[in-house]
Amino acid sequence: MPANHEFTRPDGKTAPSYYIEPAAGADAPGVVVIQEWWGINDQIERVANRLAEAGFRALVPDLYRGDKALDAAEAEHKMTGLDFGDAATQDVRGAVQHLKSAGGRVGTMGFCMGGVLSFLGAMHAPELDAAVAWYGMPPEEAGDPGTIRIPVQGHFGTQDQMFPTDAVNAFEAKLEAAGVTHEFHHYDAPHAFGNEDWDYYDADCAKLAWERSLAFLDKHLR
């Protein structure tokens, strides 16, 4: 059953999260699910639940510490106020370490803001084994993608104005130049096409991206 959960960050502070185990229990591989700019809402909890149904332990660090955004303006305000460096090196890395402490491989799966943090986790959490990012990509000043040493997967909409295709291609070129194992997929869809509670949801693209994500996690975590 899903439950509220705490884990310890590298700096020794505790952080809240949403956690759910599959039928296989604590022996299953783990996935840190990283929220969109909304916070931990019903939609992101459903993502964690679906991962548990697929056989993964799923841990969602609560980056907003219990807060949620009810509209886009509030969500943008909360995201802008987030310390991404702290979130990546403390919350995300701490969540990875927490899942890793039980054994097995651990990956990340992030959406929008969480997609940015999924890539940052790949740069700054050496315990991580694989990373999946849906429509999120860090800015150049956040870190060098060439330092990534794990397989990464990205899902991007060609109509996404927040993370346009030219920027995605430039980021992928850096991965290619550094020899980073990666696969990027592009969909004829706008930003946040995988969020079934949002205006731009595309069921067909979301289904394909989810199938590809699970196949990637199965390959690199099991």
Side-chain angles (χ1 to χ4, degrees):
M1 293 294 292
N4 293 325
H5 195 78
E6 282 195 343
F7 63 91
T8 302
R9 301 172 8 139
D11 62 7
K13 297 178 182 178
T14 58
S17 66
Y18 175 89
Y19 176 70
I20 184 170
E21 288 184 351
D27 292 333
V31 178
V32 175
V33 181
I34 314 175
Q35 67 189 53
E36 291 188 350
W37 65 355
W38 304 109
I40 296 186
N41 57 9
D42 292 343
Q43 191 273 332
I44 208 70
E45 288 182 2
R46 287 197 298 270
V47 171
N49 295 346
R50 290 177 70 189
L51 283 167
E53 291 170 2
F56 297 94
R57 292 175 291 141
L59 179 67
V60 191
D62 190 346
L63 304 180
Y64 291 166
R65 301 301 189 262
D67 286 344
K68 299 177 186 178
L70 300 179
D71 58 47
E74 185 182 8
E76 184 174 10
H77 176 73
K78 288 185 179 299
M79 180 182 71
T80 303
L82 182 71
D83 183 337
F84 275 72
D86 182 78
T89 62
Q90 297 298 324
D91 285 342
V92 173
R93 187 182 180 192
V96 171
Q97 291 175 336
H98 182 73
L99 289 177
K100 198 91 172 186
S101 67
R105 292 176 173 266
V106 176
T108 55
M109 179 187 286
F111 302 82
C112 181
M113 180 182 88
V116 174
L117 287 166
S118 193
F119 279 129
L120 289 179
M123 297 177 198
H124 301 295
E127 300 85 359
L128 195 57
D129 295 297
V132 179
W134 290 48
Y135 34 79
M137 187 179 56
E140 287 188 21
E141 63 271 18
D144 179 7
T147 63
I148 295 174
R149 295 292 179 264
I150 61 171
V152 296
Q153 183 187 63
H155 303 274
F156 301 95
T158 57
Q159 303 168 34
D160 191 336
Q161 297 181 357
M162 187 175 294
F163 299 100
T165 300
D166 286 349
V168 174
N169 290 341
F171 186 83
E172 185 176 17
K174 293 180 180 180
L175 297 176
E176 188 74 31
V180 179
T181 300
H182 70 282
E183 55 180 74
F184 276 19
H185 301 284
H186 300 268
Y187 306 82
D188 184 15
H191 184 72
F193 65 82
N195 186 337
E196 64 273 20
D197 291 345
W198 189 233
D199 298 343
Y200 305 124
Y201 177 60
D202 186 306
D204 291 337
C205 292
K207 181 176 183 292
L208 179 56
W210 182 258
E211 290 170 349
R212 286 169 167 168
S213 295
L214 287 187
F216 181 83
L217 294 173
D218 280 335
K219 178 180 179 179
H220 295 291
L221 300 186
R222 295 193 189 277

